[in-house]
Amino acid sequence: MKAGRRAPSLLSQLLATIVAVALCVPLLHFLVVLLVQPAPPAYSLDAIASALGSGIAIGKLDVQLTSPPPASQQDRALSLALADRLGVEPGAVRVVVAKQAGNDVHHAVSAMEEMPDQIVGDFTAALRMGDGRWRVVRPIT
């Protein structure tokens, strides 16, 4: 009679599975942390309008008196929405949303479609005051 090989016991199979899982879980966690980036922050138009109108920093929004963003790069729809909230003429408000790269573009576009009263990601919003100076609001980074 030929002696056959014994199959591994149930206990040794279970132990091998536990060791394999224990080695794979930290590796998987490490990959997820490296590859998945959080969505960029969103800022409500009401908060931006309040900061522009009052000149007081609100939350993670910084307010300064400085030069405005170029009119040629502005987002007309957001500029009109903020001008309406502030009760000023459309030419007195400029909003420029920073171009985003990679995965951030998808997050920003989907978030702005779902919540049109928000700006997602980096932006500059400016209000021309009565004396000709510009009050500028940007996210604190």
Side-chain angles (χ1 to χ4, degrees):
M1 259 176 94
K2 188 174 183 184
R5 240 175 106 153
R6 276 185 46 181
S9 71
L10 183 60
L11 182 60
S12 62
Q13 290 177 7
L14 184 60
L15 184 61
T17 303
I18 290 172
V19 169
V21 169
L23 293 175
C24 290
V25 167
L27 179 63
L28 183 62
H29 182 262
F30 180 71
L31 289 174
V32 167
V33 168
L34 282 181
L35 298 177
V36 177
Q37 297 177 353
Y43 305 92
S44 76
L45 290 183
D46 290 333
I48 297 166
S50 180
L52 278 174
S54 68
I56 299 171
I58 297 173
K60 295 195 175 220
L61 297 174
D62 184 38
V63 180
Q64 299 176 351
L65 292 175
T66 185
S67 58
S72 62
Q73 297 175 1
Q74 73 177 324
D75 183 311
R76 297 282 299 152
L78 289 172
S79 297
L80 290 171
L82 273 177
D84 184 53
R85 280 177 169 75
L86 291 165
V88 298
E89 63 182 68
V93 176
R94 293 183 190 169
V95 178
V96 173
V97 178
K99 295 193 184 339
Q100 299 176 11
N103 208 17
D104 288 347
V105 173
H106 174 70
H107 288 299
V109 169
S110 7
M112 289 178 89
E113 286 174 353
E114 292 171 13
M115 302 169 282
D117 286 351
Q118 294 193 348
I119 297 177
V120 177
D122 196 23
F123 69 91
T124 301
L127 170 66
R128 186 177 60 230
M129 299 186 313
D131 61 5
R133 295 182 300 162
W134 287 84
R135 182 177 293 149
V136 177
V137 171
R138 292 184 180 97
I140 298 171
T141 54

